[in-house]
Amino acid sequence: MQGAGNDFAVIDCRDGAALPDAEQIRRMGDRHFGIGFDQLLIIEAPTSPGAVASYRILNQDGSFAGQCGNGARCVAHWLVRSGVTTAPEFLLDSPAGVITVRRTGNDYALGMGHPRFAPEQIPLLAEADVLQYFLPLDGEQHAFSAVSMGNPHAVFRVDSVLDAPVERWGKAVQAAHVFPEGVNVGFAEIQDRANIRLRVFERGVGETLACGSGACAAAVSLMRQNLVARSLAVHLPGGTLMIDWPEDAAAVTMTGPAVWVYDGEWRDD
């Protein structure tokens, strides 16, 4: 499946089937010798009252991820297409907590929860929550914003995403000691108050065509600084996501597509 170009393999483990181990995941995720995906989605039985299912997210390297907005939409679409639910609105148990899903035509709108800016909640080694922090990159101090959307994000504002040093800075920021659990690194270019362009270097994956939680992180970071409107189109290499954050006390809503590409059987022999 894919959501805005962020691609996934989805495995139904609701009957209690064992998860693939890290080596199996690496083989499956290889784009030349396996299926090829940014992340693996595991659908399991719900754990909360009222939820229709739960899901877990594994990166290409076999590590677990805390949240994935594009993956959550794909899980929702898988459940609808498979007939698990026909409701126009339902709940999912995600690694970051319960999320609300609403079908809007061919798209899915997700309640992504409240952004967390306190350094200890990201986590980020900093003394206080400020709008911008600084890191030395390429011999200079560069400003970034930090936020958790269920997983940690650092957001850099750039003049052009096409010219942004995504891989070089992405690797450097992920290795920085101030992010003890690593971080997803976003590079945002403001086009106008209603539109931004974004590239994301993801933890455990590298650059992807889209990152749903990264789109939310970039949007709320710029909204918090009053640089963009509270309803924002985030244009990623793989497609466009709509992010709404009406006010600081509100939860974030992300709306975008989810597409079933194909299904099959993995033979690990």
Side-chain angles (χ1 to χ4, degrees), residues 203-217:
R203 180 178 56 171
V205 182
E207 185 176 4
T208 57
L209 293 179
C211 176
S213 62
C216 294

Side-chain angles (χ1 to χ4, degrees), residues 31-218:
R31 295 193 182 278
H32 300 287
F33 297 101
I35 303 168
F37 52 73
D38 291 326
Q39 285 154 325
L40 178 67
L41 303 174
I42 305 293
I43 300 179
E44 298 175 303
T47 57
S48 300
V52 299
S54 66
Y55 67 93
R56 286 192 273 179
I57 311 149
L58 292 112
N59 296 316
Q60 281 182 353
D61 62 3
S63 62
F64 283 95
Q67 186 53 288
C68 177
N70 291 320
R73 292 199 316 278
C74 287
V75 169
H77 186 48
W78 187 95
L79 293 166
V80 170
R81 191 178 187 274
S82 300
V84 177
T85 181
T86 58
E89 187 169 312
F90 53 92
L91 301 178
L92 285 177
D93 288 319
S94 85
V98 179
I99 61 174
T100 301
V101 180
R102 187 178 69 255
R103 286 191 284 160
T104 58
N106 294 324
D107 289 346
Y108 289 83
L110 304 183
M112 295 292 289
H114 294 78
R116 297 191 292 273
F117 297 101
E120 64 273 14
Q121 293 179 321
I122 295 172
L124 167 68
L125 301 182
E127 294 182 357
D129 169 21
V130 295
L131 292 178
Q132 291 190 315
Y133 305 88
F134 291 87
L135 269 178
L137 296 163
D138 292 344
E140 298 181 9
Q141 294 289 327
H142 291 273
F144 68 94
S145 302
V147 57
S148 172
M149 291 300 309
N151 51 0
H153 291 270
V155 180
F156 290 83
R157 184 182 171 191
V158 296
D159 293 330
S160 168
V161 292
L162 294 178
D163 299 327
V166 174
E167 183 172 2
R168 187 171 75 253
W169 283 18
K171 289 181 177 179
V173 175
Q174 287 179 348
H177 77 282
V178 296
F179 290 105
E181 296 180 9
V183 67
N184 301 288
V185 188
F187 299 83
E189 171 193 338
I190 298 176
Q191 295 180 293
D192 55 46
R193 287 190 62 82
N195 296 272
I196 68 169
R197 299 173 71 189
L198 179 69
R199 292 171 65 186
V200 181
F201 195 85
E202 291 194 51
R203 180 178 56 171
V205 182
E207 185 176 4
T208 57
L209 293 179
C211 176
S213 62
C216 294

